[in-house]
Amino acid sequence: MMLGALTSRITGFARSSVVVAALGAGLTGDVYAVANTLPNIVFMLLIGGTLNSVLVPELVRAAEEPVRGAAFTDRVVTACLVLLLALTAAAVVAAPWLAGLYAPDFTGAQRDATAALARLCLPQIFFYGVFGLLGQVLAARERPGAMMWAPVVNNLIVIGVFGLFLATAGEARGVENITDSQWTWLGVGSTVGIVAQAAVLVPFLNRSGYRWRPRFDWRHAGLTAPLKAAGWALLLIAVSQAAFWAVTVLATGVSERAATEGVTTGVGLTAYNNAYQLWIVPQGVIAVSLVTAALPALTRAAHSADYTALAAGLVRTVRGPLGVITLASLAFLLMGEEIAALAYGYGTVGEADVRVLGHVLAAFALGLPAFCVQYALTRGFYALGDARTPVLLTLLTAGANAALAAAAARLLPVHWAVTGMAAAHTLACLLGAAATDALLRRRLRRPGPGAFPGETFPGSEPPALGQLGTHLRVVVACLPGVAAALAYASLAHAYVGEGWPGDLVLVLGGCLLLGTSLLVLSRPLGVTGSVGAVTQVLGRLLRRSRPRGLPPGRH
């Protein structure tokens, strides 16, 4: 799963690089970013971030009764597909309004192009939903690997679409210079990629032994619990969408203000989104893989009222990716500009754009561990069948993010506004992780009447689920690597020079020094469990690469 997610992220960066090279990091890039983000954000919140947490526990419970479970799964998938089809149709009809909602400062050609492109991209909602539903059925049957590899197909298709655009569009790529047929090519091509991503899962679903049959006999079919949970999930979506809308409006407003003041570097939504896509990679590769794999076991522990096992599973799920997540956070903080240059420094993206991206990425960096902790611990509530508390936590986090981002956009100079918005996101992540840990520990200590009899941890407190002490020890283990990486950076620039060769040497060397420091000090500081995920993957790769017939000591 981690290798699939990593391959998906690598090809995703190649796709993002081609898109930015084709459209730039200014207003033209923002047009595509707004239009293509509308369906994407619905997937991330509805399927990728919420319904997966609702569906997997229900499907795991259903799988314990094979005959009833197949019928229940058919009904759930059918109901969700009908809902997705209705939502997609409504979104396509409302495309101009949605585009105006997320980019109210766009006028003239920008506004018209965004509305037209959004109408071509919004059908992706349905196919994102199909992909998410099939993936959750596979995850409930403990076969989630295909879901991690499928986006690679989408990325390759989009790379081809924008590569052809790059080859044929010429040098002038302002919004007014791109024809309607070219916008159609970009929009339809982006949607075809999502269709292919969903279709890839069908053979794997057949191999798992599941054959979907449409079932519309929903009454008295045991759908009350998942529909109630889905209702809370939809409310969570509404809250998250409101926060995303606020950030989008603020970022596009910064872009318009920058254009008015003559600032041409990437300081708007495109810069924010591209830095965010870099920042989210470790969470998508490591944390999502581990949490997805752990969720069925967490659900079974909660279903059997073994809350000590549930707490222990949550601690392992938080601790497992901690080493890599901390390394990534420090790498973004120390080498954000070089990482941004390697990912996006091509085509129309200039040195000033890369510098802004590096600053935004560094501002995001320190919130990464907290974001992953909240992501993992929230799944504890879903395993317990509680979809209401995550909504309250999202209200807290999203509200803090929107308020702080608004202050940054209004009070900071235009060239620092988006960086301040990224720092606002970091503060909101820290607040959300602390609140999630406190509420989940309270829930495990006193589960509540009618749900779980008695005290889960009689006479004692549940463990510190967020593992703050372990976080601090991991950071201490990395500190010698931080010092070595800073010294190495000056040598790399002096001997290799500027440009992508120097950036590549600096990033690889810096990450190696950080990783070596963590591995060497992990045992003395008692954080070996936080590097276990990496050592397991490396061990499996080494075992697969060893020639057959040779004992381990002879390889």
Side-chain angles (χ1 to χ4, degrees):
M1 288 172 60
M2 290 183 189
L3 292 174
L6 180 60
T7 305
S8 173
R9 295 292 178 169
I10 291 172
T11 54
F13 280 128
R15 178 195 65 190
S16 298
S17 297
V18 174
V19 171
V20 174
L23 300 180
L27 284 175
T28 307
D30 281 1
V31 167
Y32 180 79
V34 171
N36 196 53
T37 300
L38 289 175
N40 193 35
I41 199 65
V42 171
F43 164 71
M44 291 304 297
L45 296 175
L46 179 62
I47 301 298
T50 54
L51 283 189
N52 62 340
S53 304
V54 173
L55 283 179
V56 171
E58 295 296 334
L59 295 176
V60 167
R61 295 184 186 104
E64 296 178 0
E65 304 175 43
V67 176
R68 175 185 170 275
F72 179 83
T73 302
D74 288 339
R75 294 186 183 101
V76 169
V77 172
T78 303
C80 288
L81 288 178
V82 170
L83 176 62
L84 282 165
L85 190 61
L87 288 174
T88 303
V92 170
V93 171
W97 179 81
L98 288 172
L101 181 66
Y102 281 89
D105 293 320
F106 282 2
T107 58
Q110 288 89 6
R111 180 192 58 207
D112 297 340
T114 304
L117 191 59
R119 182 157 280 152
L120 297 173
C121 293
L122 283 167
Q124 296 173 21
I125 294 173
F126 178 78
F127 296 102
Y128 271 131
V130 172
F131 168 74
L133 285 169
L134 300 185
Q136 300 323 312
V137 174
L138 288 170
R141 293 169 176 264
E142 300 194 0
R143 297 190 179 188
M147 192 178 184
M148 300 298 178
W149 285 93
V152 175
V153 178
N154 171 35
N155 292 334
L156 294 177
I157 290 174
V158 174
I159 287 170
V161 168
F162 276 84
L164 185 58
F165 174 82
L166 264 173
T168 59
E171 293 298 325
R173 302 201 184 106
V175 175
E176 65 281 354
N177 302 117
I178 299 178
T179 65
D180 291 342
S181 61
Q182 288 173 330
W183 282 124
T184 301
W185 168 254
L186 298 179
V188 172
S190 299
T191 299
V192 168
I194 304 304
V195 175
Q197 176 177 301
V200 164
L201 294 186
V202 175
F204 294 94
L205 196 67
N206 293 335
R207 291 178 194 172
S208 74
Y210 174 72
R211 301 287 190 280
W212 174 61
R213 295 174 178 82
R215 298 196 61 151
F216 297 91
D217 52 336
W218 300 338
R219 295 189 63 185
H220 309 296
L223 296 181
T224 304
L227 288 177
K228 183 179 179 181
W232 283 110
L234 290 174
L235 181 57
L236 188 149
I237 292 164
V239 173
S240 301
Q241 281 282 52
F244 173 74
W245 168 80
V247 170
T248 302
V249 170
L250 291 168
T252 53
V254 171
S255 184
E256 288 289 334
R257 183 156 61 99
T260 303
E261 297 180 13
V263 179
T264 58
T265 56
V267 293
L269 180 62
T270 301
Y272 187 94
N273 281 348
N274 286 340
Y276 184 90
Q277 287 177 12
L278 277 171
W279 174 80
I280 202 69
V281 167
Q283 188 261 357
V285 172
I286 304 295
V288 170
S289 299
L290 290 176
V291 171
T292 302
L295 187 54
L298 296 176
T299 301
R300 284 191 288 270
H303 190 54
S304 61
D306 189 353
Y307 306 115
T308 302
L310 174 60
L314 286 169
V315 168
R316 286 194 300 272
T317 305
V318 168
R319 188 182 295 165
L322 185 55
V324 176
I325 296 301
T326 303
L327 286 177
S329 180
L330 292 173
F332 292 151
L333 185 64
L334 299 174
M335 301 172 285
E337 190 172 332
E338 289 78 11
I339 294 173
L342 289 172
Y344 299 118
Y346 312 101
T348 60
V349 179
E351 217 175 287
D353 294 307
V354 168
R355 190 176 302 111
V356 171
L357 284 170
H359 293 159
V360 177
L361 183 58
F364 272 126
L366 295 179
L368 183 59
F371 182 78
C372 293
V373 166
Q374 184 174 18
Y375 177 82
L377 294 185
T378 301
R379 272 60 196 166
F381 289 109
Y382 286 118
L384 291 165
D386 178 7
R388 180 175 67 92
T389 303
V391 176
L392 302 178
L393 290 166
T394 302
L395 273 171
L396 175 67
T397 306
N401 184 29
L404 292 170
R410 297 284 187 267
L411 300 177
L412 294 176
V414 67
H415 55 280
W416 286 110
V418 175
T419 303
M421 291 173 62
H425 186 273
T426 290
L427 294 175
C429 288
L430 294 171
L431 177 62
T436 303
D437 180 74
L439 289 179
L440 187 55
R441 293 182 67 199
R442 181 180 179 184
R443 176 67 184 271
L444 290 175
R445 186 171 65 249
R446 300 180 64 183
F452 320 113
E455 295 275 339
T456 303
F457 295 91
S460 64
E461 289 285 324
L465 302 175
Q467 297 291 287
L468 178 59
T470 305
H471 279 74
L472 295 176
R473 291 199 301 275
V474 170
V475 171
V476 171
C478 293
L479 288 180
V482 170
L486 290 173
Y488 172 78
S490 59
L491 294 175
H493 282 309
Y495 287 98
V496 183
E498 302 293 335
W500 75 263
D503 293 332
L504 181 62
V505 170
L506 190 151
V507 170
L508 292 178
C511 291
L512 180 62
L513 290 170
L514 288 170
T516 302
S517 175
L518 175 60
L519 290 173
V520 169
L521 295 178
S522 61
R523 187 175 296 277
L525 291 173
V527 291
T528 53
S530 298
V531 296
V534 178
T535 54
Q536 280 185 349
V537 171
L538 291 176
R540 180 166 296 185
L541 290 174
L542 291 174
R543 285 197 299 272
R544 288 184 176 181
S545 64
R546 184 181 301 129
R548 291 187 178 182
L550 290 179
R554 299 293 182 89
H555 180 54

